[in-house]
Amino acid sequence: MKAEGYVVDPPIGRDAHNLLYRANRFYRMHRAAYPLALDSDQRGAEVAVAGGYAERLLDDPHFVRVTQKGRLYLQAVMRAH
C-alpha cells in the first residue's frame, strides 16, 4: 500500500489504519491501552499486530497499544497531509 508517497511494509488496510489512529489518540488522552470494541477494530488489530504496528496486551488480548513502528507510520501519514 502506498500512503501519500510512503510505502508501507507490510501493507495495512483502512481498518488497521483507523485502529492505529484511534488507539494512538486514546493513549494520548488516557495513557491506557485501547479497548477493541468495534468489529472493524478486531479486523484492524489482526493486520496491525501481524505487521508490527500494534501489540496486544499479554494479560488481556482485547486491548492493544501502538508500537513505535505504528507511531512512525501515523507521523508519516500526518506529514503527508
Side-chain angles (χ1 to χ4, degrees):
M1 176 180 164
K2 194 165 179 138
E4 299 291 323
Y6 293 93
V7 176
V8 179
D9 182 42
I12 64 173
R14 174 178 281 176
D15 290 337
H17 171 84
N18 290 341
L19 170 76
L20 290 173
Y21 178 79
R22 285 193 300 271
N24 193 51
R25 186 169 183 241
F26 187 86
Y27 181 79
R28 285 193 332 253
M29 292 173 67
H30 303 286
R31 294 289 184 223
Y34 180 72
L36 300 175
L38 306 173
D39 288 338
S40 63
D41 285 347
Q42 296 289 345
R43 291 189 304 268
E46 295 300 321
V47 174
V49 168
Y53 299 100
E55 61 186 5
R56 293 186 187 271
L57 298 186
L58 294 177
D59 57 341
D60 192 345
H62 295 97
F63 288 85
V64 294
R65 68 177 155 224
V66 179
T67 62
Q68 181 66 18
K69 182 177 181 180
R71 282 189 291 280
L72 292 173
Y73 165 76
L74 289 172
Q75 288 173 2
V77 170
M78 293 301 159
R79 276 195 308 264
H81 288 204

